[in-house]
Amino acid sequence: MGLAMSYLRVPPVLEGEPDPTRIARRVFGERDWRRRVPFAPLDIGGTWQALHYLVTGDPWEGRQPEADVVCGGRLLTEDGADELGMDVIYLAPDRVKPAADHLAATPFGGVAGRFEPAVMVQAGVQDAGRMDAAARDRVLKPAYEALVAFYRAAADEGHAVYKVMFPNG
């Protein structure tokens, strides 16, 4: 069992609340949060780490702004993951726009060359051992393109991005 990731774009001030940690508790503290949020979440499931690897060349690290696309941001739930049942990573609006611009300037073909399942397995990328050659275009390309559109919409609206990680399966 691995981890899955969903993205949610949220205005920087929600119902008069500017604090990202309190916003996260307000939004994600409800079991049915997916139905209550103003914008549909983007679910990328267990592909998150493979996408991060394609974007950065590393399973966890990388330079900004590309590392901000998946793993970058501020962990809000270091002490609250048990309370919410998930980890929440916050990416402020001033970091969303550079990430969106980077994605817009980098078509999938620009990162697809990093797709090498054997190398990704050695690097510890989640689910890389289950990926065949077709997974690159069948799974990762649509997920990447969905991220491009998601980040563009978030940047255009001046939104923050909340990334939610939870057990997959």
Side-chain angles (χ1 to χ4, degrees), residues 2-165:
L3 293 174
M5 182 179 276
S6 293
Y7 289 73
L8 183 64
R9 59 189 183 99
V10 177
V13 176
L14 183 66
E15 298 170 0
E17 178 58 64
D19 180 77
T21 302
R22 288 195 289 267
I23 289 173
R25 282 186 170 73
R26 181 177 293 170
V27 170
F28 303 110
E30 303 284 332
R31 281 204 179 279
D32 65 343
W33 68 267
R34 290 174 188 279
R35 289 183 295 189
R36 297 181 51 242
V37 294
F39 303 98
L42 170 62
D43 297 315
I44 61 167
T47 66
W48 64 273
Q49 196 171 29
L51 287 168
H52 184 79
Y53 187 87
L54 293 184
V55 172
T56 67
D58 189 275
W60 295 104
E61 303 295 327
R63 302 176 291 140
Q64 286 182 352
E66 55 265 34
D68 281 346
V69 172
V70 179
C71 290
R74 186 174 96 203
L75 181 63
L76 298 178
T77 53
E78 214 162 330
D79 298 323
D82 291 337
E83 172 190 339
L84 296 176
M86 62 189 85
D87 282 324
V88 179
I89 302 167
Y90 168 76
L91 191 64
D94 65 331
R95 288 174 62 181
V96 169
K97 182 171 178 0
D101 292 346
H102 174 76
L103 286 170
T106 310
F108 184 72
V111 299
R114 290 189 177 127
F115 182 76
E116 295 182 54
V119 173
M120 293 165 65
V121 167
Q122 286 183 326
V125 174
Q126 175 180 283
D127 294 336
R130 292 189 239 168
M131 293 182 186
D132 59 13
R136 186 189 78 186
D137 292 329
R138 185 183 73 247
V139 176
L140 297 175
K141 183 177 182 182
Y144 184 87
E145 290 170 350
L147 278 174
V148 172
F150 174 87
Y151 268 92
R152 177 53 42 214
D156 288 350
E157 295 291 326
H159 289 168
V161 169
Y162 289 77
K163 304 168 199 176
V164 184
M165 297 186 79

